[in-house]
């Protein structure tokens, strides 16, 4: 059984054990996670990097750009707009703080 299939079952089992409504337990944090996942993500028109941290650190990310040089950028906690999804090909943490 894959993790994708077993995770909802686990959430449901825990919810039933604790006496919580299954729908409420399964979706309590899902909307925020789906809307702003950690790391690089795209919407229909824009590219973003969401630095998820609990320690307030700033990190360096490398941004991959179509038909232009890649660049590094220092980002703090939270969501950061990188540009148009048609121009930004990706972004990732390079392993150091800034």
């Amino acid at each position: 059984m894959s993790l994708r299939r077993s995770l909802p079952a686990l959430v449901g089992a825990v919810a039933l054990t604790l006496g919580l409504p299954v729908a409420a337990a399964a979706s309590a944090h899902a909307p925020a996670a789906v809307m702003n996942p950690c790391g690089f993500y795209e919407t229909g028109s824009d590219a973003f990097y969401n630095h998820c941290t609990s320690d307030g650190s700033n990190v360096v990310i490398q941004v991959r750009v179509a038909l232009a040089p890649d660049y590094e950028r220092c980002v703090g906690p939270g969501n950061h707009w990188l540009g148009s999804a048609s121009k930004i090909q990706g972004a990732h943490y390079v392993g150091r703080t800034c």
Side-chain angles (χ1 to χ4, degrees):
M1 182 181 290
S2 73
L3 180 60
R4 180 173 279 188
R5 289 184 187 174
S6 62
L7 188 56
L10 178 63
V11 170
V14 169
L16 289 174
T17 302
L18 296 175
L20 300 172
V22 174
S27 65
H29 296 288
V34 171
M35 290 176 49
N36 296 322
C38 295
F40 175 77
Y41 70 96
E42 295 178 337
T43 63
S45 59
D46 296 301
F48 295 90
Y49 188 88
N50 188 15
H51 174 42
C52 300
T53 181
S54 60
D55 66 3
S57 63
N58 294 334
V59 297
V60 178
I61 62 170
Q62 181 176 17
V63 181
R64 294 185 326 231
V65 184
L67 304 174
D70 295 348
Y71 64 90
E72 290 186 348
R73 177 174 170 183
C74 179
V75 296
N79 209 28
H80 303 274
W81 183 75
L82 301 176
S84 169
S86 64
K87 294 182 181 177
I88 304 299
Q89 296 180 323
H92 65 274
Y93 171 57
V94 298
R96 64 182 195 271
T97 58
C98 51

